[in-house]
Amino acid sequence: MCSSDIQVDVIIPTQTKYLDLIGSIGERIGKDLETFEGDREALAYHLNLVLTEATINAIKHANYKNTEDTVRITIQIQEDAVIIKVYDHGQGFDLENVPVPDFENPKEGGMGIFFIKTLMDSVTYTRQDDCNVLEIVKYLK
Amino acid sequence: MKLNLEKMNGYSVLFIQAERIDAHNSGELKEYILDMIEQGEINIIVQLELVRFIDSSGLGALLSGYKNTAARSGKLALSNLQPQVLSMFELTRLNRVFEIYADLNEAFENEP
């Protein structure tokens, strides 16, 4: 990691009241990304949204029986990219088989992963040791 | 979530008094709207002027209200969307589903 990189590392209980905190960190980071040449206000909103959606996804997949379960979120800010990793301890899901929303017959759910895939540049979901990692990359150039 | 309900020009206008609608408070919004519909308030405008952020669950709560008013021959329209919030409706094509007005005066030009 070069000296200009920043990493934010947050661990929260699996409770929805922390979504605002996580999303707000992303929004603030987006507003300050001076190397980004596009619409920084839009980027800030998108980072807020993607972090919110990825975190609620991890909370939903978490083990509800374990009240001490946590979700870990890391945000790495590099010169040319923002890398978000969200770690959950649940059973996992198949990212590739999440259906695209049916825009002609919209439904109430199922838009979260669509937002992440559409607004970011790369998304993967892998098993690592005792947890799953959703890794999201947004390139800045 | 703080919500204010006012009767105006034949509509039930629901003012969202929160900057953020996400999975923490969208369930409450959805239930509130469904309660309104149960009580016969089927012509609803949701005024979103203060809302800076909406996530997929917030869109889902509004869509639930839309479907339930439509099923009773009513409607649920939206007004005063901030640009980034509007862009979420465009991304999901929900701007083709909802009637979206710049402000309440424009909404009132269409009678319930």
Side-chain angles (χ1 to χ4, degrees):
Chain A
M1 185 186 284
C2 76
S3 60
S4 63
D5 287 0
I6 295 169
Q7 176 156 320
V8 180
D9 197 332
V10 189
I11 296 172
I12 56 161
T14 49
Q15 293 172 25
T16 54
K17 66 177 178 182
Y18 297 105
L19 293 173
D20 189 359
L21 170 68
I22 300 301
S24 298
I25 293 170
E27 179 165 343
R28 187 59 206 268
I29 286 171
K31 282 183 179 167
D32 287 348
L33 283 172
E34 289 173 0
T35 55
F36 184 63
E37 290 159 2
D39 181 345
R40 231 186 289 165
E41 285 294 322
L43 177 67
Y45 190 105
H46 294 165
L47 290 176
N48 186 342
L49 181 68
V50 162
L51 277 159
T52 300
E53 301 287 358
T55 303
I56 188 64
N57 192 58
I59 290 173
K60 279 183 186 167
H61 286 99
N63 185 353
Y64 277 108
K65 288 174 189 161
N66 179 1
T67 53
E68 297 189 350
D69 198 3
T70 54
V71 174
R72 178 179 173 215
I73 300 117
T74 66
I75 309 167
Q76 261 178 276
I77 306 152
Q78 301 179 349
E79 194 185 337
D80 58 353
V82 176
I83 300 165
I84 294 166
K85 292 180 186 168
V86 180
Y87 302 79
D88 72 77
H89 302 104
Q91 294 195 326
F93 67 99
D94 186 352
L95 179 69
E96 298 309 315
N97 285 325
V98 176
V100 175
D102 179 353
F103 296 116
E104 298 307 316
N105 299 291
K107 297 202 170 46
E108 287 172 45
M111 286 182 281
I113 295 293
F114 165 75
F115 281 145
I116 296 173
K117 286 182 172 175
T118 304
L119 298 172
M120 299 287 115
D121 295 311
S122 154
V123 189
T124 59
Y125 189 67
T126 51
R127 184 84 191 165
Q128 286 183 12
D129 301 326
D130 64 336
C131 60
N132 306 296
V133 188
L134 183 67
E135 181 172 337
I136 301 162
V137 181
K138 177 69 183 177
Y139 296 111
L140 301 176
K141 288 177 182 171
Chain B
M1 175 184 277
K2 191 154 182 283
L3 302 164
N4 283 354
L5 181 61
E6 287 184 36
K7 302 284 167 59
M8 301 166 82
N9 291 45
Y11 285 101
S12 302
V13 183
L14 185 62
F15 293 83
I16 310 284
Q17 306 285 343
E19 288 194 355
R20 184 177 165 95
I21 307 175
D22 67 16
H24 185 55
N25 57 10
S26 59
E28 193 186 330
L29 174 64
K30 179 178 167 178
E31 289 305 315
Y32 190 91
I33 293 173
L34 292 180
D35 282 350
M36 287 170 63
I37 297 167
E38 284 294 313
Q39 290 168 25
E41 300 187 49
I42 55 165
N43 290 299
I44 300 170
I45 301 170
V46 181
Q47 204 270 21
L48 291 157
E49 185 174 16
L50 294 181
V51 177
R52 292 179 51 243
F53 179 88
I54 189 165
D55 76 349
S56 63
S57 73
L59 296 175
L62 295 172
L63 185 60
S64 157
Y66 171 85
K67 288 183 173 179
N68 280 284
T69 51
R72 291 165 174 78
S73 305
K75 70 174 179 184
L76 183 145
L78 309 173
S79 80
N80 300 74
L81 277 69
Q82 295 194 20
Q84 300 290 355
V85 171
L86 177 61
S87 73
M88 291 299 104
F89 286 84
E90 291 167 346
L91 192 61
T92 52
R93 324 278 206 277
L94 287 174
N95 57 324
R96 298 184 197 165
V97 173
F98 290 97
E99 291 176 21
I100 297 178
Y101 298 104
D103 54 36
L104 288 175
N105 284 335
E106 191 183 290
F108 293 151
E109 286 171 14
N110 297 276
E111 289 185 16

